[in-house]
Amino acid sequence: MQIAVVGTGYVGLVSGTCFADSGNDVCCVDIDAVKVERLRRGDVPIYEPGLAEMVTHNLEAGRLSFTTDPAAAVRAARLVFLAVGTPSRDDGSADLTALWNVVEAIAPHLPTDAVVVTKSTVPVGTNALLRERLRRLTGRECDVASNPEFLKEGAAIDDFVKPDRVVVGVVTKRAADLLRELYKPYLRTEKPFLVMSPESAEMTKYVANALLATKISFINETANVCERLGADINDVRRGIGSDSRIGFAFLFPGVGYGGSCFPKDVRALEYTARAAGYEMRILPAVDEVNRRQKTILLDRVLAHFSGDVRGRKLAVWGLSFKPRTDDIREAPALAMIDELLGRGAELHVHDPEALENVRRQYGDRLQYHDRPYDALSASDALLIMTEWKEFQNPNFALMKRLMKSAVIFDGRNLYEPALVREAGFAYHSIGRAPVG
């Protein structure tokens, strides 16, 4: 099948590459000429396990191509996927400027039988507006559909080829049949292909992310109460997660969520409800809890150093918002870094993938280290902000020799308190009593 994907950000690049890998001819479009040239060489600008290899394989097979020319991409396409960014405005609403710019660019070149599919996360009602705008621009009725993505950064390829479900919002049976044919290779294990209205599909995406974000904020609030009452959040998590109605997913306490999806989608759903005349009470609380949780370790750090971290050398392990990605958008680590820099601390940072992204943002305000132990030399404390596997079984004896003061502030509960205490460290985690 001939497919065009407009936008080579995270969603567009992963989707386009996976579609090509199942035998389709895919042309990906982006306005960034430098980025397109890099992709043509197989140089993938984001870190996602397995993606670079898949891009190279499909480039060599001739199934995947990249261009800055939307006309060339869509002229022969049966399906045109829109995968551009929809960032939050200050009021929480989604900014659809990039989407409408793309629609203006592709409309004169759309084949009469093409289906335009929104892969971007868009407010409820966007597909209806898209249909009206295409009618005005082309002078004919164009088929549109919604096909929200449910990819986890760090596991996106596996999520794409082994989906829990595929959701499509359509107006016509033809669009549903075409998308069913496209996704057939990924649904061989009888995972559901869910057909609904575009409005329901748009809503499904927002509600899914908002509910997962709610679970994270809820377990974090619970962890904060556990500390004050002498309970252990890990025991509590096991106690509730074993209930089949609740489950363990997204019940790991820590320093909050980040990334490109959860924060903006929570705010966008709240805004959408408010615009429809309904005031949601839960989502503003979810967002506020998460904002506060990102700096939950700050009070503990300040208490340990008698309220003053000026001149203190602090090591930070983990900068990306989650492991297996270089994405630092709304990362909790950056919120902590800002607070500590503002109080005069000297920060030495390490991350397996996100160092360059952070360097572009902070420049020489931080000291950067390619290896985790190098960041520890003569440090007054270590802060762990991302749960990379590389951090889960460290050499505590070496760490203690390297550090000036054996103190760990663990924002991801990577270690058992008793084990860290035996190694001679003072240890502060989330939802558990401090040791040492």
Side-chain angles (χ1 to χ4, degrees):
M1 194 180 302
Q2 198 79 19
I3 296 171
V5 178
V6 186
T8 60
Y10 187 85
V11 172
L13 186 56
V14 171
S15 299
T17 304
C18 288
F19 284 142
D21 204 56
S22 62
N24 299 287
D25 292 319
V26 180
C27 184
C28 295
V29 190
D30 203 285
I31 60 173
D32 186 337
V34 174
K35 184 179 184 182
V36 165
E37 187 54 40
R38 287 182 62 183
L39 288 167
R40 285 172 173 167
R41 299 194 305 267
D43 181 8
V44 176
I46 60 173
Y47 176 72
E48 176 64 34
L51 182 59
E53 295 83 354
M54 187 178 283
V55 167
T56 298
H57 171 71
N58 285 282
L59 281 170
E60 293 173 349
R63 292 188 296 266
L64 181 63
S65 61
F66 298 93
T67 184
T68 57
D69 183 0
V74 306
R75 198 172 283 127
R78 295 183 69 192
L79 290 167
V80 178
F81 285 88
L82 308 183
V84 296
T86 55
S88 287
R89 294 191 177 99
D90 291 341
D91 62 1
S93 64
D95 184 350
L96 301 183
T97 302
L99 181 77
W100 298 132
N101 287 343
V102 164
V103 172
E104 297 278 344
I106 68 173
H109 313 289
L110 275 178
T112 57
D113 62 345
V115 179
V116 179
V117 186
T118 54
K119 203 69 166 152
S120 304
T121 302
V122 295
V124 178
T126 300
N127 270 256
L129 296 175
L130 172 61
R131 195 161 58 248
E132 293 174 9
R133 190 166 295 209
L134 285 172
R135 184 188 303 119
R136 175 174 56 81
L137 292 169
T138 64
R140 66 177 188 271
E141 196 70 35
C142 297
D143 210 348
V144 303
S146 174
N147 176 215
E149 53 82 19
F150 301 98
L151 306 178
K152 299 187 297 292
E153 292 192 39
I157 291 175
D158 200 48
D159 284 346
F160 195 99
V161 301
K162 300 173 185 176
D164 292 326
R165 78 292 202 196
V166 172
V167 173
V168 298
V170 299
V171 176
T172 69
K173 182 178 182 299
R174 173 181 168 276
D177 290 344
L178 200 58
L179 287 165
R180 192 189 305 273
E181 177 186 347
L182 176 66
Y183 279 103
K184 187 175 180 180
Y186 311 118
L187 299 173
R188 300 180 68 183
T189 56
E190 305 304 320
K191 295 295 184 180
F193 181 83
L194 304 175
V195 180
M196 58 189 71
S197 71
E199 292 79 10
S200 294
E202 292 162 341
M203 190 68 168
T204 296
K205 169 65 175 183
Y206 278 120
V207 172
N209 279 353
L211 184 56
L212 296 175
T214 300
K215 290 187 73 173
I216 295 171
S217 283
F218 179 79
I219 199 66
N220 284 334
E221 282 273 76
T222 304
N224 297 337
V225 175
C226 282
E227 283 188 41
R228 288 158 175 79
L229 298 178
D232 187 316
I233 189 60
N234 276 357
D235 291 337
V236 175
R237 182 182 62 82
R238 288 193 293 268
I240 64 172
S242 298
D243 188 326
S244 61
R245 298 168 301 175
I246 298 172
F248 286 100
F250 292 84
L251 282 185
F252 291 92
V255 287
Y257 58 78
S260 64
C261 293
F262 284 9
K264 77 178 182 68
D265 290 354
V266 165
R267 296 165 199 157
L269 182 55
E270 180 196 348
Y271 175 89
T272 299
R274 192 165 61 247
Y278 183 80
E279 192 74 24
M280 298 187 82
R281 302 293 179 88
I282 293 176
L283 293 190
V286 168
D287 193 34
E288 177 56 31
V289 167
N290 192 61
R291 290 178 192 273
R292 187 175 61 202
Q293 196 72 16
K294 287 183 178 183
T295 56
I296 195 71
L297 290 182
L298 182 64
D299 289 343
R300 296 155 203 198
V301 172
L302 292 175
H304 181 82
F305 292 109
S306 302
D308 187 5
V309 293
R310 284 175 296 177
R312 294 288 185 178
K313 182 177 179 180
L314 304 178
V316 179
W317 282 3
L319 304 171
S320 57
F321 86 93
K322 64 180 290 187
R324 293 169 62 86
T325 181
D326 60 355
D327 193 342
I328 60 171
R329 286 174 287 185
E330 301 213 32
L334 304 194
M336 274 297 292
I337 285 171
D338 290 341
E339 292 284 351
L340 292 169
L341 285 177
R343 287 168 167 78
E346 176 188 337
L347 300 183
H348 290 248
V349 302
H350 166 76
D351 188 279
E353 294 295 338
L355 276 184
E356 289 309 309
N357 287 341
V358 172
R359 194 193 306 270
R360 281 193 287 271
Q361 183 164 326
Y362 286 89
D364 60 5
R365 299 170 66 198
L366 305 174
Q367 300 294 318
Y368 305 90
H369 299 274
D370 292 327
R371 294 182 296 183
Y373 294 126
D374 290 348
L376 297 179
S377 180
S379 63
D380 291 293
L382 166 64
L383 282 72
I384 300 174
M385 300 298 292
T386 313
E387 64 273 32
W388 285 91
K389 286 184 178 180
E390 292 93 322
F391 306 158
Q392 292 181 3
N393 290 289
N395 185 332
F396 286 115
L398 174 59
M399 292 169 64
K400 191 175 181 184
R401 289 199 300 271
L402 289 171
M403 297 175 69
K404 179 181 177 181
S405 179
V407 183
I408 298 174
F409 296 92
D410 182 358
R412 297 297 179 180
N413 286 4
L414 294 188
Y415 312 131
E416 286 299 322
L419 178 65
V420 185
R421 181 177 59 244
E422 289 172 8
F425 283 82
Y427 182 62
H428 303 264
S429 55
I430 306 296
R432 303 181 294 185
V435 299

